[in-house]
Amino acid sequence: MGNGKNADSLAGIPTDDDSVIQEFTDESGAPATLPEVGGGGEESKLKILMGLLRRLVGVKDVANLRLSLPASLLEPIPNLEYWQYLDRADIFAAVGDPQDELERMLAVLRFSFSKELKFVRARLGKPYNSALGEHFRCSWRLPPLLIDKATKEPIVRTHIHVPLAGEPAYGGQGGSGWTTPVLRPQDGGKLNSETSSVVSIGSSTSKKPSLPNLKTNARGLPLEHPPSPNLNRAIPGPGEEIEADSDAGVVESEKVTVVFLCEQISHHPPVSAAYYACPEKGLEMVCMDQILAKVSGMSVKVGPGPSNKGLFLKLNREGPGKGEEYHITHPAAQVNGILKGSYYGTISDQISITCSGGDNKKTKLRAVLDYKDESWIGRPRFAVDGVIYRYEVDNETELSWTKAKQIPSDNIVAYIEGCWMKQLKYKLKGEKEWKILLDIDALALIPKQVRPLAEQDPQESRKFWDPVTTSLLAKNWGEATKQKQIIEQRQRDAAAKRKADGVEFQSRFFEHDWEDGRPRLSEAGKQAVAEEVERLKSLKST
């Protein structure tokens, strides 16, 4: 990977061809395979999980193991599609809209809290492992989030979630959230009797749900549960999901395009590069995705790997804030509920969001958030608090603060608190009134626009894993595991051939310099993004 050894050593990322001895390999050096147990039902999955946990206790990095899981333990979604941060692309698209620097920081905070909505709305799951050179791209066409001028509260106008009374604070009660997006026919799914009722929400040909007499409040949220038990859903799970508020008044000219492209650039350890953009708003965001995972008791601790230096979101449009970059760090998390088969995540860590660049002001804004420790007994609270403060540019001490108690009162601009699975609030310094920063309860996942399988490259995620996905959706666990092993062996053969030929892997869509955590698009990457933008334009005109 890279243009010679120097690029690799700079990035510190081993290539797929490295002869590093990994744990849990069989006698041939291939990943050891856990066998299927029983018929693939919940009882069988529990037996496999218990055996797996016993083997993984004490392993330093589970994410980099050469261990092949049975297909019955996997969700029918590729890893590159799963690990993306635009569950609410409308919130991302609105980041650069405010003219005021504090309002822009609040907009970035909204995005930060919304970027992994999947872990709230749907069950946590294990996606397919990415293959070297595998890539995924998708897009959205939607109206950016608006802020009410009077209340300063966000107005949700698309893909609204209406909670049920007593709905749990996390997903897992409604089954997998990944089946429907894979099955959508225009996204390459196969229409059959089991999925014929699924409507492609977000498609130009989709039917809008009928919601008679639905009254909304100032934020565009229903005041009462809509009388529509058969409402077509974007994602299975508790509550109802509405494609759009009928009174929101969204017109086509308000909608913008958001594009996502990623590629697996290393296999051992697993590392991918990703690019996000909203061209009309002059927004770009890049990151390197790598996770470290470790089994601790009956849970799995997950955190960013050394190549993952966070998200880098930049404003390129004209006007106030042009040139600003927001660096969003990732927290470590813990996956719980494994024994019950209903996984949920908790976070007990600190993160920061740092604004830099732009104008030549001597001070900038920075936010620090503290995700609270959860008690090992009782229900999790999912609590978080923090502050926005002003720091002097290049002041290393002020940039090193990680908790609110470290920050002098004179530096503080605003306070943040709430439940990151329910509702977040903010209060300006000197004010008594708390305002809603983001109501997570109001947000449904927004489906992706993905090209049909027939138009996809063989290395594109959905086409690449289609044999496994098809078998999993049919609950044919044995065939799914067989197809998965065929794909894995094909990758081992390709790696062996590269090694024998003395050829190093070359990433296709990204340049070979990502040491600072900011991957850069290659010419092929720029072309892929442009093609996705043009594709949405053609859909809009039809």
Side-chain angles (χ1 to χ4, degrees):
M1 179 171 55
N3 294 325
K5 297 291 184 183
N6 186 50
D8 292 332
S9 61
L10 283 175
I13 302 175
T15 69
D16 185 54
D17 307 325
D18 285 348
S19 56
V20 178
I21 298 176
Q22 303 285 341
E23 296 186 61
F24 298 114
T25 58
D26 60 23
E27 61 276 3
S28 68
T33 302
L34 286 176
E36 294 280 6
V37 178
E42 294 303 317
E43 183 179 352
S44 302
K45 291 181 182 181
L46 181 58
K47 290 180 180 178
I48 299 172
L49 279 171
M50 291 301 295
L52 176 62
L53 288 173
R54 283 195 292 269
R55 297 180 67 176
L56 297 182
V57 170
V59 176
K60 185 176 181 180
D61 181 15
V62 175
N64 194 34
L65 285 183
R66 299 191 67 184
L67 175 66
S68 183
L69 295 177
S72 63
L73 291 184
L74 304 177
E75 293 290 339
I77 185 170
N79 185 65
L80 295 183
E81 178 175 354
Y82 184 87
W83 283 107
Q84 56 83 26
Y85 301 109
L86 293 184
D87 291 339
R88 292 296 306 198
D90 58 333
I91 298 179
F92 170 77
V95 161
D97 287 350
Q99 301 293 297
D100 177 72
E101 63 173 336
L102 176 57
E103 294 294 333
R104 288 194 296 276
M105 176 58 80
L106 292 172
V108 176
L109 278 162
R110 289 188 189 95
F111 164 69
S112 179
F113 284 119
S114 74
K115 64 185 174 65
E116 288 152 335
L117 182 66
K118 65 177 75 64
F119 301 138
V120 180
R121 287 281 85 84
R123 183 180 70 189
L124 290 179
K126 175 65 177 73
Y128 312 139
N129 287 335
S130 301
L132 191 66
E134 179 187 340
H135 52 272
F136 177 76
R137 59 171 157 161
C138 64
S139 52
W140 295 261
R141 183 76 184 167
L142 38 64
L145 187 77
L146 291 181
I147 303 300
D148 188 288
K149 292 181 179 179
T151 66
K152 298 296 185 180
E153 295 182 4
I155 302 172
V156 180
R157 302 189 295 166
T158 184
H159 292 87
I160 302 165
H161 176 73
V162 185
L164 294 173
E167 181 174 313
Y170 50 86
Q173 306 304 310
S176 170
W178 316 119
T179 304
T180 302
V182 174
L183 281 175
R184 300 194 316 165
Q186 76 277 20
D187 289 350
K190 296 175 175 60
L191 188 63
N192 56 38
S193 58
E194 185 177 347
T195 63
S196 59
S197 63
V198 176
V199 172
S200 167
I201 297 180
S203 166
S204 58
T205 58
S206 68
K207 298 178 181 179
K208 183 176 179 179
S210 176
L211 298 170
N213 303 318
L214 181 62
K215 298 180 180 180
T216 60
N217 63 16
R219 301 200 308 278
L221 302 181
L223 295 176
E224 57 185 86
H225 194 274
S228 181
N230 297 317
L231 187 66
N232 292 300
R233 305 183 58 77
I235 299 293
E240 299 282 12
E241 294 181 7
I242 307 167
E243 180 180 0
D245 176 3
S246 58
D247 296 324
V250 176
V251 295
E252 183 61 35
S253 61
E254 286 185 273
K255 295 181 180 179
V256 295
T257 298
V258 179
V259 179
F260 169 60
L261 172 68
C262 62
E263 180 182 13
Q264 190 76 6
I265 60 174
S266 170
H267 191 51
H268 297 304
V271 181
S272 61
Y275 174 84
Y276 305 77
C278 178
E280 295 97 328
K281 297 287 188 176
L283 284 175
E284 288 185 308
M285 185 174 74
V286 296
C287 67
M288 301 288 290
D289 273 326
Q290 179 192 13
I291 64 170
L292 300 180
K294 181 179 181 179
V295 173
S296 177
M298 289 294 103
S299 62
V300 178
K301 292 185 176 180
V302 180
S307 297
N308 187 339
K309 294 177 170 54
L311 304 173
F312 298 88
L313 195 164
K314 192 165 186 179
L315 277 59
N316 298 317
R317 53 107 176 103
E318 294 297 330
K322 180 182 179 181
E324 286 181 350
E325 181 182 74
Y326 292 84
H327 179 208
I328 307 169
T329 63
H330 293 297
Q334 188 164 288
V335 180
N336 307 280
I338 294 177
L339 289 181
K340 295 181 179 180
S342 180
Y343 320 132
Y344 65 94
T346 57
I347 304 174
S348 301
D349 201 359
Q350 293 82 42
I351 74 162
S352 63
I353 301 176
T354 306
C355 176
S356 61
D359 55 38
N360 295 320
K361 289 183 179 179
K362 294 182 179 180
T363 63
K364 297 286 182 182
L365 293 180
R366 187 170 188 259
V368 292
L369 299 174
D370 186 7
Y371 291 83
K372 301 302 181 180
D373 289 331
E374 302 288 355
S375 171
W376 66 276
I377 56 174
R379 293 186 177 183
R381 297 177 299 133
F382 308 112
V384 61
D385 62 26
V387 299
I388 300 172
Y389 72 94
R390 189 169 294 282
Y391 75 96
E392 290 185 2
V393 175
D394 298 327
N395 186 318
E396 294 299 326
T397 298
E398 294 183 351
L399 280 169
S400 68
W401 292 332
T402 58
K403 291 187 176 183
K405 64 183 180 181
Q406 297 175 293
I407 302 167
S409 176
D410 289 345
N411 292 62
I412 294 176
V413 176
Y415 301 89
I416 310 292
E417 71 171 34
C419 170
W420 57 268
M421 283 216 177
K422 285 289 185 179
Q423 189 180 86
L424 290 311
K425 300 179 294 182
Y426 74 97
K427 180 177 67 173
L428 301 183
K429 181 181 177 181
E431 294 185 358
K432 294 182 179 180
E433 179 186 359
W434 288 88
K435 298 181 178 68
I436 294 176
L437 177 69
L438 189 64
D439 189 349
I440 301 295
D441 266 347
L443 305 178
L445 291 168
I446 301 181
K448 315 171 191 74
Q449 291 273 4
V450 184
R451 297 175 356 271
L453 287 185
E455 299 177 17
Q456 293 184 23
D457 184 283
Q459 288 291 107
E460 256 182 277
S461 291
R462 288 192 180 182
K463 189 166 188 175
F464 186 86
W465 292 103
D466 182 58
V468 180
T469 300
T470 301
S471 297
L472 280 180
L473 296 177
K475 297 185 179 181
N476 189 340
W477 315 118
E479 181 62 23
T481 297
K482 176 184 175 182
Q483 292 298 327
K484 177 175 173 289
Q485 291 171 342
I486 290 173
I487 291 173
E488 291 169 341
Q489 185 59 49
R490 193 183 303 144
Q491 296 306 301
R492 289 193 290 272
D493 292 343
K497 186 176 187 304
R498 283 195 300 273
K499 187 173 183 179
D501 295 343
V503 176
E504 293 184 359
F505 170 76
Q506 302 288 322
S507 54
R508 175 179 172 187
F509 296 112
F510 293 88
E511 300 289 352
H512 312 299
D513 176 16
W514 43 74
E515 183 184 10
D516 63 354
R518 299 175 177 87
R520 294 155 183 85
L521 289 177
S522 65
E523 288 303 317
K526 295 175 184 177
Q527 181 179 346
V529 170
E531 288 174 354
E532 195 65 21
V533 172
E534 289 301 314
R535 186 181 72 86
L536 280 193
K537 286 182 179 178
S538 65
L539 287 177
K540 183 179 68 171
S541 62
T542 58

